């Protein structure tokens, strides 16, 4: 409990030893050795001090002989250092370079790096507590907080109860989502929102079956993509990132989740029931055994070593300028998450359970039912897509502001002939708006329907929105011009004030206007009509027009 036997009375360790001695005096005075009352008192004191009963019994043996406070302080004044000087140098160097930085790793990760270097030079490995003691030996709490950018210590996660005991892998899985603790940027360096990490874990073996990074908050489509990643073999995925890991795949039978809205919406889902996948949002304490939460924490623990890390909370982040130092793209973060999930989490032993997930998976793989390993992953992903009903028009099926149809597809001819008579079931995928999925009531299957305009280039709904926004910006008119046009219309519709005249009936006014407009309207053969008018009416000054036309006179009296 202490470090030297000659601690001064005002030392905190001495004060703690005095308080412990008071509690031990009560036990020694009120109970007899090897009695049930002594055992109960030891257990009660251990629970209140958050120690083990063995530790309290050890203190009783030390203190009971002479009942001196200094007997409770460990006397190691004559003992030399436990670690060789070379090991001390390695421990201090790793802590200085890896742990005491704004993007520093956890103390557990630092212990792994230290033991790796010690093993490389032929020295004995050290424990976590040894590394922790050397940290506080060489640096004060203020120095550690300043160099790591921390302000207060983060509260430990509280223990949650419950148990799940599956009989074979893939029988029970857990799924959960969380925001990753590092900021990402796009290819142009623009800061993005925090990415969401969705992880699916097998409860029996603790293997991460699949994960998905999503640039928005979790939803049904992202969950479907996570399951699709878990179900598919990952040989090509490992080759993409140059990984060597155990390939794990298969369809889960039962998925335990929390009470998030996107999980509750999947309970009793018809498409999932058809695939024999049950989603079970748990009431009360959903974090049974903390399997998925621990693995999410392991992935975030590795990502927090990157530039732009946000810490576990606002308090843990402190004054670290995460927005200014962010530089990782989505692809880089995905690669780091894949390495952590499939090599570190799946390929390394858990120190508490002393089990290695990939070896546990190989051990129990023969008990997995065959139908869980042969699954059409496209059907699984299709089951998670949102479904709606719509009417078929002469242009096709409307979705995303576009029309979808293929006139030369004979399977759609029957539906087109009966268009408008009944609603059709469709599913849309916001990750690719070049096609939609149409349920054919006669064939009893989903059909892929392309865009009616013939554009089949894969495009997400967000890219389509951005493209529409650019088109609106190019073809749009400024607010000033639009306002000016409307002011001109208002001005044209507002005639100047006129003097008040005698009231005339609306019919008379309309007749007068019609006469004026009709007289001013152009007429066919207007030139000939003008000549005839001049011949009959004159020039308006009372003089008839002169003419050279002569007519022969017939004499009636001539014989």
């Amino acid at each position: 409990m202490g470090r030297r036997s000659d601690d001064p009375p005002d030392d905190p360790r001495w004060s703690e030893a005095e308080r412990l001695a008071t509690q031990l005096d009560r036990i020694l005075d009120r109970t007899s050795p090897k009695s049930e009352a002594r055992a109960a008192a030891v257990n009660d004191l251990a629970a209140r001090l958050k120690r083990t009963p063995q530790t309290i019994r050890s203190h009783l043996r030390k203190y009971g002989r002479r009942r001196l406070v200094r007997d409770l302080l460990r006397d190691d004044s004559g003992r030399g250092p436990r670690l060789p000087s070379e090991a001390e140098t390695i421990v201090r160097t790793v802590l200085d370079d890896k742990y005491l930085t704004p993007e520093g790793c956890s103390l557990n990760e630092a212990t792994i790096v230290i033991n790796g270097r010690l093993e490389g030079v032929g020295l004995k490995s050290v424990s976590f507590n040894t590394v922790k003691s050397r940290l506080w030996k060489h640096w004060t709490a203020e120095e550690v907080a300043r160099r790591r950018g921390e302000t207060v210590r983060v509260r430990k996660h509280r223990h949650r109860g419950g148990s799940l005991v599956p009989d074979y892998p893939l029988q029970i899985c857990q799924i959960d989502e969380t925001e990753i603790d590092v900021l990402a940027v796009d290819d142009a360096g623009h800061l993005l929102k925090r990415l969401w990490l969705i992880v699916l874990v097998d409860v029996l073996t603790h293997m991460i079956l699949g994960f998905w990074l999503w640039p928005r908050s979790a939803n049904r489509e992202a969950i479907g993509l996570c399951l699709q990643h878990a179900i598919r073999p990952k040989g090509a995925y490992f080759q993409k990132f140059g990984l060597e890991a155990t390939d794990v795949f298969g369809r889960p039978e039962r998925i335990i989740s929390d009470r998030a809205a996107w999980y509750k919406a999947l309970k009793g889902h018809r498409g999932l029931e058809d695939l024999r996948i049950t989603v079970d949002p748990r009431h009360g304490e959903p974090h049974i055994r903390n399997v998925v939460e621990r693995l999410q924490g392991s992935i975030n623990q590795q990502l927090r070593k990157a530039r732009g890390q946000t810490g576990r909370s606002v308090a843990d982040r402190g004054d670290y300028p995460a927005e200014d130092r962010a530089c990782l793209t989505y692809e880089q973060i995905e690669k780091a998450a894949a390495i952590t999930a499939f090599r570190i989490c799946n390929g390394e032993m858990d120190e508490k359970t002393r089990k290695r997930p990939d070896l546990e998976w190989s051990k129990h793989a023969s008990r997995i039912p065959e139908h869980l390993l042969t699954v059409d992953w496209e059907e699984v992903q299709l089951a998670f897509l949102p479904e709606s009903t719509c009417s078929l028009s002469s242009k096709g099926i409307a979705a995303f502001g576009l029309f979808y149809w293929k006139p030369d597809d004979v399977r759609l001819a029957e539906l087109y002939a009966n268009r408008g008579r009944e609603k059709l079931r469709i599913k849309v995928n916001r990750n690719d708006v070049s096609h939609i999925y149409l349920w054919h009531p006669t064939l009893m299957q989903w059909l892929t329907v392309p865009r009616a305009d013939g554009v089949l280039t894969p495009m997400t709904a967000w890219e389509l929105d951005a493209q529409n926004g650019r088109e609106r910006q190019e073809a749009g008119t400024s607010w000033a011009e639009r306002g000016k046009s409307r002011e001109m219309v208002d001005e044209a519709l507002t005639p100047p004030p006129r003097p008040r005249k005698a009231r005339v009936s609306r019919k008379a006014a309309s007749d007068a206007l019609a006469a004026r407009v009709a007289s001013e309207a152009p007429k066919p053969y207007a030139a000939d009509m003008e000549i005839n008018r001049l011949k009959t009416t004159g020039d308006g000054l009372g003089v008839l027009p002169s003419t050279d036309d002569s007519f022969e006179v017939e004499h009636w009296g001539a014989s």
Side-chain angles (χ1 to χ4, degrees):
M1 147 163 231
R3 295 187 179 180
R4 298 177 61 86
S5 61
D6 55 349
D7 291 85
D10 57 347
D11 189 271
R13 292 186 298 274
W14 183 270
S15 301
E16 183 181 357
E18 284 183 325
R19 292 191 295 270
L20 178 59
T22 303
Q23 301 293 335
L24 297 178
D25 284 333
R26 295 175 182 174
I27 295 177
L28 293 171
D29 295 338
R30 299 177 182 178
T31 60
S32 58
K34 300 182 179 180
S35 63
E36 295 183 359
R38 172 70 61 88
V42 169
N43 292 334
D44 179 69
L45 181 60
R48 287 189 284 113
L49 298 181
K50 296 182 180 180
R51 308 257 180 101
T52 62
Q54 291 82 356
T55 302
I56 302 302
R57 295 192 194 97
S58 176
H59 290 323
L60 285 172
R61 287 193 297 270
K62 293 180 183 178
Y63 180 73
R65 290 190 295 267
R66 300 188 299 172
R67 297 209 181 188
L68 298 177
V69 175
R70 65 172 177 266
D71 289 342
L72 296 174
L73 301 174
R74 187 175 67 244
D75 186 7
D76 54 2
S77 57
R79 189 183 66 189
R82 290 185 176 183
L83 295 180
S85 59
E86 187 178 358
E88 289 277 3
T89 303
I90 292 176
V91 172
R92 182 165 185 173
T93 301
V94 172
L95 290 176
D96 194 20
D97 296 341
K98 301 290 185 181
Y99 183 75
L100 297 176
T101 60
E103 297 92 4
C105 62
S106 66
L107 204 59
N108 186 43
E109 290 295 317
T111 304
I112 296 175
V113 176
I114 290 171
N115 286 331
R117 295 189 182 182
L118 291 176
E119 186 177 346
V121 297
L123 296 177
K124 185 179 178 180
S125 61
V126 296
S127 66
F128 174 84
N129 289 333
T130 300
V131 176
K132 186 177 180 180
S133 65
R134 293 314 187 269
L135 173 67
W136 303 119
K137 174 182 178 181
H138 298 298
W139 294 277
T140 63
E142 292 77 11
E143 291 174 340
V144 172
R146 176 180 55 80
R147 294 188 60 176
R148 287 181 60 84
E150 298 176 348
T151 54
V152 295
R153 185 174 297 276
V154 180
R155 179 176 63 89
K156 295 290 185 181
H157 295 292
R158 64 189 180 95
H159 176 72
R160 301 180 186 264
S163 62
L164 293 173
V165 186
D167 298 326
Y168 50 85
L170 297 176
Q171 184 184 20
I172 301 178
C173 299
Q174 281 187 305
I175 191 171
D176 197 16
E177 78 290 336
T178 185
E179 288 183 298
I180 65 173
D181 295 339
V182 62
L183 296 179
V185 297
D186 59 9
D187 295 335
H190 302 142
L191 194 64
L192 303 175
K193 294 182 179 179
R194 288 178 63 179
L195 302 178
W196 282 76
L197 176 68
I198 306 174
V199 181
L200 183 69
V201 181
D202 177 63
V203 172
L204 179 63
T205 62
H206 293 195
M207 281 284 282
I208 294 181
L209 303 176
F211 72 92
W212 193 257
L213 276 177
W214 193 243
R216 295 169 179 262
S217 58
N219 54 24
R220 287 175 52 175
E221 297 171 45
I223 297 171
L225 291 170
C226 179
L227 261 81
Q228 170 262 127
H229 187 249
I231 290 173
R232 298 181 65 179
K234 300 175 180 59
Y237 186 78
F238 291 160
Q239 187 177 3
K240 173 184 175 182
F241 295 118
L243 301 182
E244 294 182 3
T246 302
D247 191 3
V248 55
F249 59 92
R251 173 180 62 83
E253 287 187 344
R254 181 184 174 197
I255 301 176
I256 305 297
S257 67
D258 55 26
R259 297 286 295 173
W262 37 84
Y263 296 129
K264 290 192 292 184
L266 296 175
K267 186 176 181 180
H269 190 270
R270 179 172 56 185
L272 295 181
E273 290 179 350
D274 182 45
L275 295 168
R276 291 173 293 175
I277 297 178
T278 303
V279 178
D280 185 10
R282 301 301 293 264
H283 294 272
E285 300 286 347
H287 305 280
I288 298 176
R289 292 178 61 188
N290 289 325
V291 177
V292 66
E293 287 78 14
R294 285 199 300 268
L295 295 175
Q296 282 179 335
S298 299
I299 296 176
N300 265 328
Q301 179 177 298
Q302 298 296 329
L303 296 179
R304 279 196 295 269
K305 298 187 293 185
R307 294 182 59 183
Q309 59 92 10
T310 60
R312 292 163 291 186
S313 63
V314 177
D316 181 51
R317 177 177 174 180
D319 298 330
Y320 177 75
E323 291 82 0
D324 298 334
R325 296 178 66 86
C327 61
L328 295 180
T329 62
Y330 175 90
E331 290 74 14
Q332 293 171 328
I333 295 177
E334 182 186 11
K335 181 178 181 179
I339 296 173
T340 304
F342 297 112
R343 285 189 59 86
I344 297 180
C345 296
N346 288 356
E348 295 183 2
M349 183 187 69
D350 188 344
E351 296 294 339
K352 181 179 293 186
T353 62
R354 299 183 301 279
K355 294 182 179 180
R356 183 169 159 178
D358 56 353
L359 298 181
E360 291 294 312
W361 179 272
S362 302
K363 176 181 176 182
H364 299 284
S366 59
R367 298 160 57 186
I368 303 177
E370 184 65 25
H371 68 273
L372 298 181
L373 300 177
T374 56
V375 184
D376 187 355
W377 62 268
E378 292 182 347
E379 291 293 333
V380 175
Q381 186 178 355
L382 188 63
F384 280 87
L385 296 180
E387 182 178 335
S388 61
T389 59
C390 66
S391 297
L392 176 60
S393 66
S394 58
K395 296 182 179 179
I397 300 174
F400 299 112
L402 305 170
F403 286 97
Y404 294 83
W405 198 249
K406 190 175 182 181
D408 55 350
D409 192 340
V410 295
R411 298 174 299 177
L412 303 178
E414 176 186 352
L415 301 178
Y416 191 79
N418 298 324
R419 64 184 183 276
R421 298 181 182 179
E422 59 182 10
K423 295 288 187 179
L424 299 177
R425 293 169 53 193
I426 64 169
K427 288 191 174 187
V428 297
N429 185 5
R430 293 191 297 174
N431 301 324
D432 186 4
V433 299
S434 63
H435 296 79
I436 63 171
Y437 304 93
L438 171 66
W439 176 257
H440 198 291
T442 304
L443 301 178
M444 300 294 291
Q445 65 178 6
W446 291 96
L447 304 180
T448 303
V449 183
R451 289 172 56 172
D453 56 7
V455 179
L456 303 181
T457 304
M459 179 184 298
T460 65
W462 300 281
E463 291 175 336
L464 179 62
D465 292 341
Q467 177 180 324
N468 294 338
R470 289 191 297 268
E471 293 177 355
R472 293 190 189 98
Q473 186 176 4
E474 294 174 359
T477 309
S478 65
W479 289 108
E481 289 295 328
R482 296 173 67 180
K484 182 179 179 180
S485 300
R486 281 150 181 79
E487 290 177 357
M488 293 173 64
V489 172
D490 295 341
E491 183 179 354
L493 296 176
T494 307
R498 296 179 179 179
R500 189 175 185 83
K501 296 182 179 181
R503 185 176 182 84
V504 181
S505 66
R506 295 174 65 180
K507 182 178 182 305
S510 298
D511 292 344
L513 176 62
R516 180 170 62 82
V517 174
S519 64
E520 295 176 357
K523 303 168 182 63
Y525 302 104
D528 295 342
M529 294 173 63
E530 184 66 24
I531 292 176
N532 294 335
R533 187 179 296 110
L534 289 175
K535 287 180 179 180
T536 57
T537 61
D539 57 1
L541 300 177
V543 179
L544 291 175
S546 59
T547 178
D548 296 334
D549 295 341
S550 60
F551 303 94
E552 294 182 0
V553 179
E554 183 179 355
H555 300 280
W556 288 15
S559 57

